[in-house]
Amino acid sequence: MNMPIRNTENVVALPQSSAEVLPMPASPGKPLLARVLPVLGEIAARVIPPLIVLALILVVWQFMTNSPKASLPSPLKIWQDSKDLIIDPFFVAGPQDIGLGLRVLTSLTRVAYGFGLAAVVGILLGAIVGQSTWAMRGLDPIFQVLRTVPPLAWLPLSLAAFRDAQPSAIFVIFITAIWPVIINTAVGIRNIPQDYRNVALVLKLNPFEYFYKIMVPSAAPYIFTGLRIGVGLSWLAIVAAEMLTGGVGIGFFIWDAWNSSRLSDIVVALIYIGVVGFILDRLVAAVSTIVTRGTAKA
Amino acid sequence: MYLKIDHVDKIFQRGSQSTEVLRGITLDVAKGEYVSIIGHSGCGKSTLLNIVAGLTGTTNGGVILEGRQVDEPGPDRAVVFQNHSLLPWLTVYDNVRLAVDKVFSKTKSRAARDAWTLHNLDLVQMVHAKDKRPAEISGGMKQRVGLARALAMEPKVLLLDEPFGALDALTRANLQETVMALHQKLGNTVMMITHDVDEAVLLSDRIVMMTNGPAAKIGEVLEVPLARPRKRLDLVSDPVYIKCRAAVLKFLYERHRYVEAA
Ligand SMILES: Nc1ncnc2c1ncn2[C@@H]1O[C@H](COP(=O)(O)OP(=O)(O)OP(=O)(O)O)[C@@H](O)[C@H]1O
Ligand SMILES: [Mg+2]
């Protein structure tokens, strides 16, 4: 259980290793090379430090779990045990024996339904709450309380209501992701400059036009902040929910692996989950930068 | 009378505190007339303009435009705000087109609306930047686009709230020329707020001078009997121009001096 301490030692070691990276771009030679080298240097400066840290972590990890008495698997052992899972994410060898990529896709489908629903409903509710002072006063305290309820606490109620695992899992995603979307959208709507409201008034935009021509674009940076938090929470929630509801998702895979003591598989699944969560977050962030281009600066 | 501001009082009520901003404002504006409103900061010029625009309600009295009472905002009273208020997520073209689409949705075809948008951008010499976003053009250009958007609505009254306030002197002079030329060409009825005495005299048919608040009134109304088209350089030594300028300065700095913390 002294893993975290070792980890921080690794992080502290970073400056020494990055010093080796620095001299690279400082050798401008021929014209073409002179142009390519700085770019390569830039890429190297971003890619090499995480790789070095990763290598260090693996080495320390291997060192710590090398003895046969170790309770957790070492990297080499994981490679031996779960090679098939690491190499081919999309194999199908039976109804419950499929690649982790396929499992992740199943989980992602659930997230897509739950989060998509949460996005649409959350933005609409947020718009109403942000528009009206009374709705804000009435609903905001309730939202603030409900949003602190942990995702899994919704699951029993959800199972009781839907009597089926699939919609229950989707509902848990929905109810987890919707609060940051509502709250951020409402704040964004409240922050629409009076100038834009005046323009809408002079042009006599109807409520529908006002919603999609002024409100949504103007509040877009806030809305995307909410969506980004929401998608992260969705991913957290689905893994937990699937552990309890079963099915072929990545969450249930971990639970199943634990019950049959396949610790190596669990580690591989954790890495999958981390990478996918990271990609989801970056995806929403990328969409946000494209959509809100120009909105941030007035 | 084309536009009539009739015994308008305005009291802002915030909780138990009430501020009387305007008292008994009465002003008639003829069709095609260019009227400037000048007064010290905080006297209630914007409030008066917003009342005409319908963005702010009156406490007593009302505004009548072409025989009909004004009680809500509308495109027949287009406003150019001090800080341009273009929508930053739309291009220059789309900012104007939004207004054109809204006002002429029933009376103009798609192609005609496109042509009308470009025509109005051309009036303010901004066609070249039509695909740029507001963040990518200068402050003067933004005001030009704001002006194009307002003109494109074919308003009965054009309301300008310190349209050149945030601009440097040269850009300001340039835009004044544009506004003057457009007024000459289109014959709009204009109500403009300004802080600048030269600007008021150069552009206006009449200058309305407001007393200091609270409870600001119209102190004096000055006719500017200068022939149009007016040339900035010729006016510098014109005795009528000099006299008008002196009258406004006298009003502002002698009889109604701005009192700090009044
Ligand atoms: N919504 C409001 N509630 C309360 N008071 C207000 C409100 N709007 C304006 N006022 C007050 O009314 C007075 C006049 O404001 P107004 O903006 O009309 O002045 P102004 O002449 O346009 O000033 P400036 O030249 O600085 O723009 C100010 O004292 C201001 O504090
Ligand atoms: Mg003002």
Side-chain angles (χ1 to χ4, degrees):
Chain A
M1 280 302 108
N2 48 7
M3 277 280 281
I5 301 165
R6 293 295 175 115
N7 269 342
T8 48
E9 279 172 9
N10 286 332
V11 177
V12 174
L14 187 105
Q16 296 165 2
S17 48
S18 66
E20 296 164 24
V21 184
L22 278 174
M24 270 197 64
S27 55
K30 291 159 198 151
L32 181 77
L33 220 63
R35 261 181 294 139
V36 175
L37 265 183
V39 180
L40 286 180
E42 183 72 22
I43 295 170
R46 286 183 181 276
V47 173
I48 290 178
L51 285 181
I52 291 173
V53 173
L54 187 64
L56 278 174
I57 290 174
L58 286 177
V59 167
V60 172
W61 180 1
Q62 179 69 34
F63 176 75
M64 281 172 56
T65 52
N66 218 0
S67 84
K69 281 183 283 173
S71 54
L72 293 174
S74 70
L76 281 177
K77 185 164 167 8
I78 290 172
W79 176 253
Q80 284 156 12
D81 290 352
S82 314
K83 203 174 159 197
D84 55 336
L85 289 176
I86 299 169
I87 289 176
D88 185 0
F90 297 104
F91 71 84
V92 179
Q96 267 301 331
D97 191 10
I98 58 174
L100 285 182
L102 291 174
R103 288 181 188 276
V104 163
L105 281 182
T106 317
S107 301
L108 277 178
T109 320
R110 292 192 183 123
V111 168
Y113 283 123
F115 176 67
L117 210 60
V120 173
V121 178
I123 291 172
L124 288 175
L125 273 179
I128 293 167
V129 175
Q131 253 319 87
S132 137
T133 311
W134 279 106
M136 187 76 162
R137 285 190 193 151
L139 291 169
D140 190 58
I142 295 171
F143 290 165
Q144 297 293 351
V145 169
L146 287 181
R147 87 187 164 91
T148 63
V149 174
L152 277 195
W154 291 101
L155 191 60
L157 270 187
S158 171
L159 281 169
F162 293 103
R163 293 165 196 284
D164 187 15
Q166 177 77 358
S168 301
I170 291 175
F171 176 76
V172 168
I173 307 279
F174 169 80
I175 205 76
T176 307
I178 197 168
W179 310 116
V181 179
I182 293 179
I183 291 165
N184 280 281
T185 304
V187 172
I189 301 284
R190 291 189 84 76
N191 279 327
I192 295 176
Q194 188 60 42
D195 286 343
Y196 303 168
R197 294 178 194 273
N198 285 345
V199 169
L201 285 170
V202 169
L203 289 178
K204 288 197 160 171
L205 298 185
N206 62 43
F208 183 59
E209 290 168 322
Y210 182 62
F211 177 74
Y212 78 94
K213 287 190 169 156
I214 309 283
M215 266 189 182
V216 172
S218 175
Y222 292 88
I223 294 175
F224 272 101
T225 305
L227 290 178
R228 207 169 155 186
I229 299 170
V231 82
L233 290 178
S234 299
W235 193 235
L236 291 182
I238 187 64
V239 173
E242 281 176 348
M243 283 187 169
L244 298 179
T245 59
V248 286
I250 187 89
F252 181 67
F253 174 83
I254 292 180
W255 193 244
D256 194 37
W258 161 245
N259 283 331
S260 41
S261 308
R262 288 180 278 121
L263 288 183
S264 299
D265 287 5
I266 294 180
V267 174
V268 177
L270 288 188
I271 293 167
Y272 264 93
I273 291 171
V275 170
V276 171
F278 176 76
I279 292 173
L280 277 182
D281 182 64
R282 285 306 148 107
L283 214 62
V284 177
V287 173
S288 157
T289 27
I290 294 168
V291 173
T292 61
R293 190 173 20 118
T295 315
K297 323 159 258 176
Chain B
M1 225 351 100
Y2 189 64
L3 172 69
K4 189 173 184 66
I5 301 170
D6 195 15
H7 296 92
V8 165
D9 300 335
K10 180 66 193 178
I11 299 169
F12 280 110
Q13 204 82 40
R14 192 180 282 149
S16 60
Q17 210 172 2
S18 67
T19 333
E20 185 173 12
V21 177
L22 299 173
R23 182 185 291 171
I25 303 281
T26 295
L27 180 68
D28 291 340
V29 180
K31 190 168 185 179
E33 196 177 11
Y34 199 119
V35 175
S36 292
I37 297 170
I38 200 164
H40 288 291
S41 188
C43 72
K45 306 181 294 293
S46 295
T47 305
L48 179 59
L49 194 93
N50 285 342
I51 286 172
V52 177
L55 293 166
T56 305
T58 62
T59 305
N60 295 306
V63 176
I64 294 161
L65 176 60
E66 276 201 319
R68 228 174 288 161
Q69 176 146 5
V70 163
D71 48 13
E72 57 171 4
D76 58 341
R77 282 153 288 128
V79 192
V80 177
F81 299 96
Q82 171 161 4
N83 42 357
H84 70 77
S85 67
L86 298 177
L87 304 177
W89 55 88
L90 294 180
T91 61
V92 162
Y93 174 89
D94 287 332
N95 264 287
V96 179
R97 181 68 188 263
L98 177 69
V100 172
D101 278 350
K102 191 61 200 164
V103 177
F104 300 104
S105 60
K106 295 198 178 69
T107 50
K108 278 186 176 25
S109 71
R110 258 185 107 75
R113 294 202 297 262
D114 172 64
W116 180 244
T117 304
L118 289 172
H119 170 74
N120 280 281
L121 282 173
D122 187 45
L123 285 178
V124 296
Q125 298 119 45
M126 283 302 296
V127 178
H128 64 93
K130 72 183 173 68
D131 295 321
K132 294 218 166 100
R133 282 165 195 268
E136 299 161 354
I137 59 178
S138 72
M141 289 173 161
K142 284 180 208 162
Q143 283 305 9
R144 284 178 186 275
V145 179
L147 192 59
R149 177 173 65 184
L151 289 172
M153 300 179 208
E154 287 198 316
K156 291 177 181 158
V157 185
L158 187 59
L159 302 171
L160 311 176
D161 189 351
E162 293 186 50
F164 320 127
L167 305 176
D168 64 275
L170 282 175
T171 314
R172 202 178 168 112
N174 250 321
L175 264 161
Q176 287 164 355
E177 301 291 340
T178 304
V179 167
M180 223 174 357
L182 287 173
H183 178 239
Q184 191 76 16
K185 184 171 166 183
L186 306 173
N188 299 94
T189 309
V190 185
M191 216 170 123
M192 177 182 80
I193 291 177
T194 181
H195 268 132
D196 185 314
V197 177
D198 288 296
E199 180 172 287
V201 179
L202 176 68
L203 294 175
S204 320
D205 297 316
R206 269 192 303 158
I207 301 174
V208 175
M209 294 172 256
M210 289 179 66
T211 63
N212 288 336
K217 301 187 291 286
I218 292 181
E220 235 173 84
V221 179
L222 178 78
E223 297 272 347
V224 183
L226 289 166
R228 291 179 188 270
R230 297 174 183 169
K231 290 252 161 39
R232 183 185 305 270
L233 284 178
D234 301 349
L235 288 180
V236 178
S237 50
D238 188 314
V240 180
Y241 179 86
I242 294 169
K243 228 177 79 194
C244 289
R245 203 173 169 277
V248 179
L249 283 174
K250 246 202 173 79
F251 178 91
L252 288 178
Y253 298 105
E254 217 174 84
R255 277 184 283 153
H256 293 276
R257 219 154 10 114
Y258 183 59
V259 191
E260 204 71 51

